[in-house]
């Protein structure tokens, strides 16, 4: 049956003689007509209806208020229960007998069924053109789960000869529907009628429904892919330590910069991804829009274990822990850094992974039909900077067109290839490509080891190495070096420490770990360098530097100066074949090793001019640096290699004869570092300087840096890692003066915060309220009374600005801590942070402001020294008359209040009346009162004028931009004449005639009209 152009409303179409199935198909075609980038794969004779489009059709009909009842009468008979007549589509995750559930997936129409089994709803009625619709209620298993056939067989439906297993001429073939993971609307059910009750229909559906099988070639590929990813790494690389996944976001590094970097939440504000990687991926998938590619990014600094985590995701899928995906493909991005090659989508999926996969065209055709069931992992996303620009390319390739990898990536990220799939990226939180990830659907940060996890890793390492007798000794070596222990939050560095400990313990009992990172890598490379070909280490260092300048970590075999150097480097583990690389590709095993080798080249090379060397320390503004510091570990390693004693540093690596340029470079760097003024550096640069001075182990440089530290050190908004906290604490102790620290928004961990607060030279500190209260509680539980007392006495919150509901709640916890402390028998007095607070700002805006203000009022009286209360915000707090009434009740206890700012708070005459009632309690202290830009009319002005003579200490009053008229202004002016102590009354407002305002000002010059 063919139809002409559709005209009229949905109601007219349903009342027409048109076949509803044709209507559904025409709607389907109209919906897809505008989406040119979607390629259709369904066969011409397959009557499969896209459920998303059908649900949107139903939503359109439901939105028509005038015809809703008419639709219900047409689609449902009178005998249908009332709770089913008034239905609406609901998300597929819900399951209810009182609504019609239309999740994603195909809908199959069955013309006749001899009997209706349990678990099926039958909906029929006149005027619909369809005799019956059967809706199955329950879960559908995965295609790979094949339950034994049982239960009812639907009779009277011929089997389509070209679709094995199909019982309906409208049912799709097996290749059309590879799987249906969500709770689905289904046309047939293998349910035994006499054994299934209505309350058991969902459980029965989960075990008895059976979808068409995958083709044999797809099943074989599926099993081979599982076998590929199921293999566990062996040896120390296979040590699994669960680390936290933290929800992250990118923010602008400064108001003048367009670059984005990871936001730094306080420790207590971190939002952990609950349930691990499987639950995190599942939750992210449930919140995405249908048929839209989802981008999930996992960020972390070099050495945090991102690649290992990506492998763990693949293994989790292979072991059945990610059932929402039919196929997972993991591709290291260094395999994609090939600008000149031409590839197709199947090459990306099958050929560029860790192990090439053999797949027939039938497999590829099957995969691309359900992209929403595909997870594509791109590991080390920063390696694609050579392909920079693909994210903003104007077009992407068609599915079957061969193109460059840049075009292939453009098609993926612009959602023109595999549209609807999930892209999981791992990347460092810096670089050009990472800037675009701010729009990702989900961002996570991979946190490193805790102190306990690092020590547990050391024990596991020696257990896997078969050296259990050295476990305790190795742990003691690490504990003797707090600096290396703090660096062990990085899994890569923790493994390096274990490798050096293993080598030292094999030599004898007098082993001792170095105290710097430079010493750590010198110890690891020393013996390998002395046993290699002459000049081999220097040549490898040059390669590392040149690759780093190009933002690369992989190299070709033919880039080595000789086969001997390549053979030696591979034998010593200094380079290796990365997963998925060609036979000629090699890479450094860790980014930090490449940084160390790059710094070694700078220290040895005569090609680098002496006057240019200080610029590589990254302590100067970026516009003066000759490179962008991609090898971010170079500055610290360079100072260590240049300044540490030759015999145990450069000489141990390349011999005394190769260090001819080192002495001259040492003089240049020493002169540069001693000219720096630490007080003028930004927080991040100051921390880098402290690390460089620590690596140098040169007394003159260290003393210069620590003695020039300013007394007030602010690290506000700068992330403090465990090594940063350790080096900072060491510098403060050596400085010989008192310091005040601002540690807000640094993400410092509790142990680092406790170590800094416990220093005798730290007299005051600011930190997040939630972090500080948690520290106090921890110290109290562990019985550390002296440190607890010091932490309470040194903490300050002056001045405090509440910008969120959490800030008000944290302030409430602080007040509650003081009240608990005051009632305790072994402590007495107020907390200095509460007692000494003089300025409090409240800026939550019009939505959160009215909700949070009552909580603030309840604790306001605890701040006995409060002098400045600012309730004005650019976006307006709108505390209203009720808020003013609550605030006025606290005035008798706020005996020190000098400034009260109530501007832009939607205060009317009632609020002004309540305020006037309470102001006499502040008569002796209040100096400034602002009611700017409120809604006070003449009655409110009269209330304020009446109380004005009683405010004997008031000097400035601002009532500009209110609603009172000339009458209210005259009352205020008359009251002002009785108040010789008032210096300024600002009351210009557009509701007062200008002539009246000028006249009043002429009578009293204290009236301001500006």
């Amino acid at each position: 049956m063919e139809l002409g152009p559709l005209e009229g409303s949905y109601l007219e179409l349903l009342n027409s003689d048109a076949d509803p199935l044709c209507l559904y198909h025409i709607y389907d075609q109209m919906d897809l007509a505008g989406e040119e980038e979607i390629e259709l794969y369904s066969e011409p004779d397959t009557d499969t209806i896209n459920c998303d489009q059908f649900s949107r059709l139903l939503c359109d009909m439901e939105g028509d208020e005038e015809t809703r009842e008419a639709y219900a009468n047409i689609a449902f008979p009178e005998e249908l229960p009332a709770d089913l007549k008034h239905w609406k589509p609901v998300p597929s995750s819900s399951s209810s007998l009182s609504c019609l559930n239309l999740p994603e997936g195909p809908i199959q129409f069955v013309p006749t069924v001899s009997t209706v089994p349990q678990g099926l709803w039958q909906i029929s009625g006149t005027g619909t053109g369809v005799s019956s619709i059967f809706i199955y209620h329950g879960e559908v298993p995965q295609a790979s789960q094949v339950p034994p056939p049982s239960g009812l067989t639907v009779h009277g439906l011929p089997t389509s000869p070209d679709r094995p297993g199909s019982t309906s001429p409208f049912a799709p073939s097996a290749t059309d529907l590879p799987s249906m993971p969500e709770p689905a609307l289904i046309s047939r059910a293998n349910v035994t009628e006499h054994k299934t009750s209505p309350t058991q229909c969902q459980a029965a559906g989960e075990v008895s429904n059976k979808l068409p099988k995958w083709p044999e070639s797809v099943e074989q590929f599926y099993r081979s892919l599982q076998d590929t990813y199921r293999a566990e790494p062996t040896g120390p690389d296979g040590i699994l330590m669960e680390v936290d996944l933290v929800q992250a976001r990118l923010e602008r590094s400064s108001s003048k910069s367009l670059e984005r970097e990871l936001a730094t939440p306080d420790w207590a504000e971190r939002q952990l991804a609950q349930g691990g990687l499987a639950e995190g991926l599942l939750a992210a998938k449930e919140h995405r829009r249908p048929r839209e590619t989802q981008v999930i990014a996992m960020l972390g600094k070099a050495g945090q274990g991102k690649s290992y985590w990506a492998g763990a995701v693949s293994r989790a899928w292979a072991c059945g822990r990610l059932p929402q995906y039919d196929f997972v493909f993991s591709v290291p991005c260094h395999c994609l850094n090939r600008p000149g090659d031409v590839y197709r989508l199947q090459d990306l999926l099958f050929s560029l992974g860790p192990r090439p996969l053999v797949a027939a065209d039938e497999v590829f055709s099957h995969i691309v039909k359900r992209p929403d069931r595909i997870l594509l992992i791109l590991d080390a996303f920063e390696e694609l900077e050579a392909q920079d620009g693909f994210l903003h390319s104007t077009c992407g390739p068609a599915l079957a067109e061969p193109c460059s990898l840049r075009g292939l990536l453009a098609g993926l990220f612009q959602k023109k290839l595999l549209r609807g799939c999930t892209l999981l990226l791992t990347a460092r939180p810096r670089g050009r490509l990472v800037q675009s990830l701010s729009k990702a659907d989900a961002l996570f940060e991979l946190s490193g080891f805790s102190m306990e996890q690092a020590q547990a890793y050391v024990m596991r390492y020696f257990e896997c190495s078969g050296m259990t007798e050295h476990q305790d000794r190795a742990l003691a070596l690490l504990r003797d070096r707090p600096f290396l222990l703090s660096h062990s939050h990085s899994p890569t560095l923790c493994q390096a420490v274990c490798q050096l400990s293993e080598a030292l313990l094999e030599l004898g009992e007098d082993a001792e770990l170095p105290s710097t990172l430079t010493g750590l890598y010198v110890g690891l490379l020393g013996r390998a360098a002395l046993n290699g070909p002459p000049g081999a280490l220097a040549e490898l260092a040059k390669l590392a530097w040149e690759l780093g300048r190009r933002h690369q970590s992989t190299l070709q075999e033919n880039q080595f100066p000789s086969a001997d150097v390549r053979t030696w480097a591979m034998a010593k583990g200094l380079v290796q074949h990365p997963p998925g690389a060609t036979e000629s590709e090699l890479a450094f095993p860790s980014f930090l090793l490449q940084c160390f080798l790059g710094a070694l080249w700078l220290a040895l090379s005569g090609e680098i001019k002496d006057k240019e060397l200080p610029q590589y320390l990254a302590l100067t503004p970026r516009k003066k640096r000759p490179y962008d510091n991609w090898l971010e570990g170079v500055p610290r390693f360079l100072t260590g290699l240049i300044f540490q004693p030759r015999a145990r540093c450069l000489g141990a690596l390349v011999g005394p004869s190769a260090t001819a340029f080192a002495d001259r470079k040492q003089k240049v760097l020493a002169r540069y570092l001693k000219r720096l003024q630490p007080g003028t550096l930004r927080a991040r640069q100051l921390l880098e300087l402290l690390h460089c001075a620590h690596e140098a182990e040169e007394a003159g440089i260290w003393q210069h840096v620590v003695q020039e530290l300013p007394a007030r050190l602010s690290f506000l908004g700068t992330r403090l890692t465990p090594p940063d906290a350790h080096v900072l604490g060491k510098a403060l102790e050596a400085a010989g003066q008192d310091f005040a620290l601002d540690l807000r928004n640094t993400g410092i961990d509790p142990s680092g915060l406790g170590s800094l607060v416990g220093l005798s030279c730290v007299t005051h500190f600011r930190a997040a309220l939630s972090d500080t209260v948690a520290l106090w509680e921890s110290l109290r539980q562990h019985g550390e009374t002296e440190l607890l007392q010091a932490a309470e006495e040194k903490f300050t919150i002056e001045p405090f600005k509440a910008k969120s509901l959490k800030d008000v709640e944290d302030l409430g916890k602080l007040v509650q801590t003081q009240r608990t402390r005051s009632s305790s028998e072994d402590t007495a007095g107020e907390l200095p942070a509460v007692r000494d607070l003089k300025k409090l700002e409240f800026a939550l805006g019009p939505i959160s402001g009215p909700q949070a203000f009552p909580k603030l009022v309840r604790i306001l009286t605890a701040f006995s020294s409060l002098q400045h209360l600012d309730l004005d915000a650019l976006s307006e707090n709108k505390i209203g008359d009720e808020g003013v009434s609550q605030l006025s009740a606290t005035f008798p206890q706020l005996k020190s209040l000098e400034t009260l700012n109530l501007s832009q708070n939607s205060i009317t005459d009632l609020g002004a009346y309540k305020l006037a009632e309470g102001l006499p309690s502040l008569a002796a202290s209040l100096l400034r009162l602002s009611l700017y830009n409120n809604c006070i009319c003449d009655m409110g002005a009269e209330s304020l004028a009446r109380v004005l003579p009683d405010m004997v200490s008031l000097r400035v009053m601002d009532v500009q931009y209110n609603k009172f008229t000339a009458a209210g202004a005259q009352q205020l002016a008359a009251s002002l004449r009785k108040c010789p102590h008032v210096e300024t009354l600002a009351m210009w407002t557009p509701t007062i005639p200008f002539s009246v305002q000028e006249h009043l000002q002429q009578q009293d010059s204290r009236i301001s009209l500006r």
Side-chain angles (χ1 to χ4, degrees), residues 259-310:
E259 292 189 4
R260 296 181 180 270
E261 59 185 20
L262 268 180
T264 306
D266 295 317
W267 187 264
E269 293 181 352
R270 300 185 311 155
Q271 297 181 0
L272 302 182
Q274 301 296 331
L277 63 94
E279 292 297 328
L281 289 174
L282 183 60
K285 182 179 177 68
E286 290 177 350
H287 289 88
R288 75 171 176 183
R289 292 178 295 177
R291 296 191 329 198
E292 283 294 331
T293 298
Q294 185 182 40
V295 179
I296 302 173
M298 172 60 64
L299 305 179
K301 297 187 68 174
Q304 293 294 91
K306 300 183 297 296
S307 296
Y308 187 88
W309 185 86

Side-chain angles (χ1 to χ4, degrees), residues 21 106 150 199 260 331 366 386 396 404 407 527 560 568 697 762 778 847 912 997 1009:
L21 292 180
S150 62
T199 59
R260 296 181 180 270
V331 182
H366 174 90
S404 66
R527 286 185 296 174
F560 284 90
W568 164 79
E697 290 189 329
V762 175
S778 175
I847 298 177
Q997 297 184 61
L1009 301 180

